[in-house]
Amino acid sequence: MTRVIMFRRLLVPLVTALLLTSAGATAEARSAPGRSAPERAPAPTGTWTGTWEAAASGTLSALPGASVRNVVHTSVGGRAARVRLSNRLGTRALRLGAVTLALQPPGEPGSPRAVADSVRAVTFAGAASVTVPAGRDLVSDPVALPVPADANLLVSVHTPADSGPATCHHSALQTNFIAPAGDRTAEESGAAYTATVGSWYYVTGVDVLGASAAGSVVALGDSITDGTGSSPGANHRWPDRLAARLRGLPAHRRPGVLNAGISGNRVLLDGRGPSALTRLDADVFSRTGVRAMIVLEGVNDIKGTPEQTDPRVLEDAYRLVVRRAHARGIRVIGATITPYGGHAAYTPAREAVRRAVNAAVRTHRIFDGVADLDAAVRDPARPDRILPAYDPGDHLHFNDAGARALAGAIDLRSLLTPDRPQSR
């Protein structure tokens, strides 16, 4: 098969991507005893910025009649918020009976309790309940809740009926909570949330109002970006560490950081979630205030089944990502693929492909900037392996120290340059 034919095949996912556009939903006004009344949100003036993201990676069984309390972590703060919910991978209309937003007490990541008087009803075109068609996403009205940076929020969702497969992010690395029966979304104590789950249900993003004008940065990646190997509940994924670095900047230069990692994700083929090419619209371009993106994808294409043996095909795919991002004024930072020698999927032939791809990233001017993560974490004595101090034991992913090293290898200036990127 020629390189030209392979490149044309890269265009196929773009057709699917057109189906993943955010669109409206049918709102139905409803009131219920015990639910906090909606507060009047501030007029939506100022700048909306993305503060948190989870890419839809698959589905789980619905929880009819239950309430799910999702715990999410902010990168930047604001004076109000809005919530992104998704039925993107569902097959039936999703009925949301009630949704609330609240603050989780600092230092209690394993608690379903809400900070006193922080629970707010989330509305959709003024209605407290909403029906989201299959294949669609939804953004809420502004919610009058001051949101701190580097804090945990509680997004609670009640689904009164069986709406079919639930769109989720499988690997949250965060304890989330289930109240098995009834609408418990307004409950402060969290006492009804007697079960736990390690995935995020339905919620795929939070934006904040009144943050700095620096916009947001999206980290597009696989399990390394998703945080596999880092400490659960600690928010030590490398995008979290990057957000911590950025919080040291003046407020007007401090972007939000959005984690669009999906464990097992590939650039070229669907599998563990839609491929990187397929999900650009939903997970990057539809997000709020995106100024830059960091691409750390490709290892699963090289070591997966079927495996990609031609580094030029990945290079062409990267160039396609960059062209689409540039059309929207988004800078793209390319990350070199990190080593995985010692992993069960490692072979010398695959290592040769990885090194060739990295050479192209470094020297072929594919991206607006390069984050040489390979150089930052490899063992100088065995450059096909990551340093033992960064290895959680599987020789592929990164522990907390490794995640810090990855974030530390990214030049912050490459994310903040205001010039519009040039098309390539």
Side-chain angles (χ1 to χ4, degrees):
M1 181 177 296
T2 67
R3 183 182 174 193
V4 172
I5 293 173
M6 285 297 297
F7 182 67
R8 287 175 178 170
R9 287 193 172 182
L10 298 181
L11 300 178
V12 173
L14 303 186
V15 178
T16 305
L18 296 175
L19 302 177
L20 299 178
T21 55
S22 300
T26 302
E28 302 166 359
R30 190 171 78 89
S31 61
R35 183 181 305 129
S36 58
E39 293 193 11
R40 183 176 298 278
T45 59
T47 302
W48 284 102
T49 300
T51 188
W52 175 85
E53 175 181 357
S57 66
T59 61
L60 291 169
S61 297
L63 299 171
S67 298
V68 181
R69 181 156 282 183
N70 300 281
V71 180
V72 307
H73 191 73
T74 64
S75 56
V76 293
R79 68 178 185 269
R82 63 188 183 192
V83 178
R84 293 172 176 266
L85 299 166
S86 182
N87 190 25
R88 190 184 312 157
L89 305 180
T91 57
R92 293 160 53 185
L94 168 65
R95 174 70 181 277
L96 301 175
V99 180
T100 63
L101 181 68
L103 301 175
Q104 187 185 58
E108 298 184 21
S111 170
R113 185 169 67 90
V115 169
D117 300 320
S118 72
V119 178
R120 302 287 188 272
V122 177
T123 61
F124 308 88
S129 64
V130 67
T131 298
V132 188
R136 308 295 273 275
D137 294 334
L138 181 66
V139 181
S140 77
D141 301 330
V143 180
L145 178 69
V147 173
D150 192 24
N152 282 354
L153 303 179
L154 304 175
V155 181
S156 303
V157 178
H158 172 58
T159 49
D162 186 350
S163 298
T167 297
C168 73
H169 182 89
H170 283 291
S171 181
L173 288 178
Q174 173 64 58
T175 301
N176 303 294
F177 306 93
I178 299 173
D183 177 4
R184 304 291 184 174
T185 56
E187 183 178 287
E188 281 188 359
S189 71
Y193 290 88
T194 56
T196 61
V197 63
S199 301
W200 286 305
Y201 273 76
Y202 303 116
V203 60
T204 58
V206 177
D207 301 333
V208 290
L209 180 66
S212 69
S216 59
V217 175
V218 177
L220 182 72
D222 48 41
S223 56
I224 294 172
T225 299
D226 211 5
T228 301
S230 65
S231 296
N235 299 302
H236 285 171
R237 311 164 191 86
W238 76 256
D240 298 318
R241 297 296 201 179
L242 177 62
R245 289 186 65 205
L246 290 165
R247 281 193 291 273
L249 297 175
H252 70 282
R253 300 184 66 227
R254 190 183 308 152
V257 177
L258 304 179
N259 188 334
I262 295 178
S263 292
N265 201 227
R266 301 171 68 139
V267 176
L268 302 168
L269 299 176
D270 293 348
R272 297 285 187 89
S275 72
L277 289 173
T278 301
R279 63 192 185 93
L280 282 174
D281 284 321
D283 293 340
V284 181
F285 302 147
S286 73
R287 300 294 164 159
T288 302
V290 178
R291 301 288 184 85
M293 61 185 293
I294 304 167
V295 178
L296 175 54
E297 290 245 24
V299 68
N300 292 317
D301 297 83
I302 294 170
K303 72 177 183 60
T305 303
E307 64 188 87
Q308 181 51 247
T309 60
D310 186 350
R312 296 172 300 174
V313 174
L314 276 171
E315 181 179 345
D316 286 341
Y318 292 151
R319 291 189 185 279
L320 181 57
V321 170
V322 171
R323 281 199 296 274
R324 294 187 63 201
H326 282 184
R328 294 159 176 82
I330 298 171
R331 290 176 55 79
V332 187
I333 309 304
T336 51
I337 300 172
T338 51
Y340 65 101
H343 188 270
Y346 175 88
T347 68
R350 291 171 175 172
E351 174 67 4
V353 176
R354 184 185 75 88
R355 294 193 183 196
V357 171
N358 284 350
V361 170
R362 293 183 182 107
T363 65
H364 290 188
R365 297 182 57 83
I366 301 169
F367 298 100
D368 300 298
V370 174
D372 199 345
L373 305 189
D374 169 48
V377 300
R378 69 190 178 209
D379 185 344
R382 303 186 67 179
D384 63 335
R385 293 176 177 250
I386 63 176
L387 279 164
Y390 300 155
D391 189 350
D394 66 4
H395 311 301
L396 171 65
H397 299 103
F398 292 89
N399 59 21
D400 293 352
R404 186 188 295 272
L406 293 173
I410 296 170
D411 181 358
L412 301 187
R413 294 171 299 179
S414 69
L415 305 178
L416 304 172
T417 302
D419 297 339
R420 184 179 177 87
Q422 300 298 313
S423 297
R424 288 189 170 89

